[in-house]
């Protein structure tokens, strides 16, 4: 299959979708790119404090990931809970016009996570070997709220869930932008 782009031996489709989970203080920022068939093409995980990034360097790194996939990018979804200014800066200063803001709430997070679960249940999603991602996926759990009866998802055992949430955002982006 000459001329086709591959990742880990898997031919990837041209249409791409990005999910961005912004980490603050102790959390990690994670950018995940998937193709239209559910193959995870690229993941970038970093901590602003560990990298000693200035605010500009932080935005530059996110913009580099976006630009790497821009040619085939349909859309990118970024969780903006209390990060609306960063979203505005990325769209205006870096001309990231395919970036959309997503507000996650107790009301919509479970529905969003369920979209990723469905892809795993149907063996549609293909993930690269990545120890941190596997650790987060295994530690990600649900708890039913005894008051509201709604399911709540989060990382357990003090393990981050940033990679999972980034992948959830990429899957929601794929589903919403292709439906």
């Amino acid at each position: 299959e000459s001329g086709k782009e591959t990742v880990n031996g898997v031919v990837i489709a041209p249409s791409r979708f990005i999910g961005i989970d912004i980490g603050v203080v102790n959390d990690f920022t994670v950018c995940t790119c998937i193709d239209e068939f559910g193959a995870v093409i690229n993941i970038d995980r970093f901590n602003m404090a560990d990298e000693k990034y200035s605010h500009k360097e932080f935005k530059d790194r996110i913009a580099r990931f976006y630009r790497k996939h821009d040619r085939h990018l349909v859309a990118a979804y970024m969780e903006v809970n209390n990060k609306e200014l960063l979203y505005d800066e990325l769209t205006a200063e870096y001309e990231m016009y395919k970036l959309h803001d997503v507000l996650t709430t107790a009301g919509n997070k479970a529905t969003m996570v369920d979209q990723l679960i469905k892809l795993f249940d149907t063996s549609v999603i293909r993930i690269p070997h990545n120890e941190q991602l596997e650790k987060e996926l295994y530690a990600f759990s649900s708890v039913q709220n005894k008051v509201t009866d709604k399911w709540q998802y989060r990382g357990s055992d003090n393990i981050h869930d940033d990679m999972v949430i980034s992948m959830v955002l990429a899957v929601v982006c794929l589903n919403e932008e292709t439906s």
Side-chain angles (χ1 to χ4, degrees):
E1 304 211 30
S2 63
K4 299 210 177 194
E5 192 174 353
T6 63
V7 173
N8 297 326
V10 176
V11 176
I12 58 173
S15 295
R16 298 181 185 180
F17 306 86
I18 292 176
I20 304 171
D21 181 50
I22 301 295
V24 289
V25 191
N26 295 321
D27 279 344
F28 287 82
T29 292
V30 182
C31 303
T32 302
C33 182
I34 64 173
D35 74 7
E36 65 192 272
F37 299 123
V40 175
I41 297 167
N42 191 211
I43 302 169
D44 186 20
R45 177 181 187 263
F46 60 97
N47 179 283
M48 184 176 174
D50 290 349
E51 302 283 345
K52 297 180 175 39
Y53 280 156
S54 67
H55 187 63
K56 182 183 181 324
E57 290 168 323
F58 178 70
K59 292 184 295 184
D60 287 348
R61 178 130 176 206
I62 295 166
R64 272 196 309 277
F65 186 91
Y66 177 98
R67 287 207 179 90
K68 178 178 181 179
H69 301 286
D70 192 31
R71 191 171 128 228
H72 299 293
L73 186 64
V74 175
Y77 282 17
M78 180 180 122
E79 184 180 39
V80 293
N81 303 14
N82 300 315
K83 300 168 212 85
E84 291 83 2
L85 180 60
L86 174 62
Y87 169 80
D88 291 343
E89 290 172 342
L90 289 169
T91 53
E93 295 170 26
Y94 295 83
E95 299 179 351
M96 293 170 59
Y97 300 129
K98 297 175 192 172
L99 183 64
H100 303 275
D101 54 333
V102 176
L103 187 64
T104 58
T105 66
N108 70 5
K109 188 174 183 180
T111 305
M112 294 170 70
V113 171
D114 286 343
Q115 292 181 49
L116 176 62
I117 292 169
K118 183 179 178 187
L119 292 188
F120 275 108
D121 286 347
T122 56
S123 300
V124 169
I125 196 152
R126 294 185 309 273
I127 61 172
H129 172 69
N130 180 306
E131 285 183 29
Q132 181 61 37
L133 175 58
E134 291 168 16
K135 188 188 247 184
E136 286 189 22
L137 285 167
Y138 282 114
F140 201 72
S141 62
S142 60
V143 177
Q144 192 168 19
N145 183 309
K146 290 175 179 25
V147 176
T148 65
D149 272 345
K150 292 186 179 180
W151 289 95
Q152 299 170 318
Y153 293 97
R154 63 176 172 268
S156 58
D157 301 324
N158 294 322
I159 294 174
H160 291 276
D161 67 356
D162 311 295
M163 295 181 86
V164 175
I165 298 303
S166 177
M167 199 164 31
V168 165
L169 290 164
V171 167
V172 170
C173 181
L174 163 68
N175 289 341
E176 290 185 359
E177 298 295 328
T178 58
S179 63

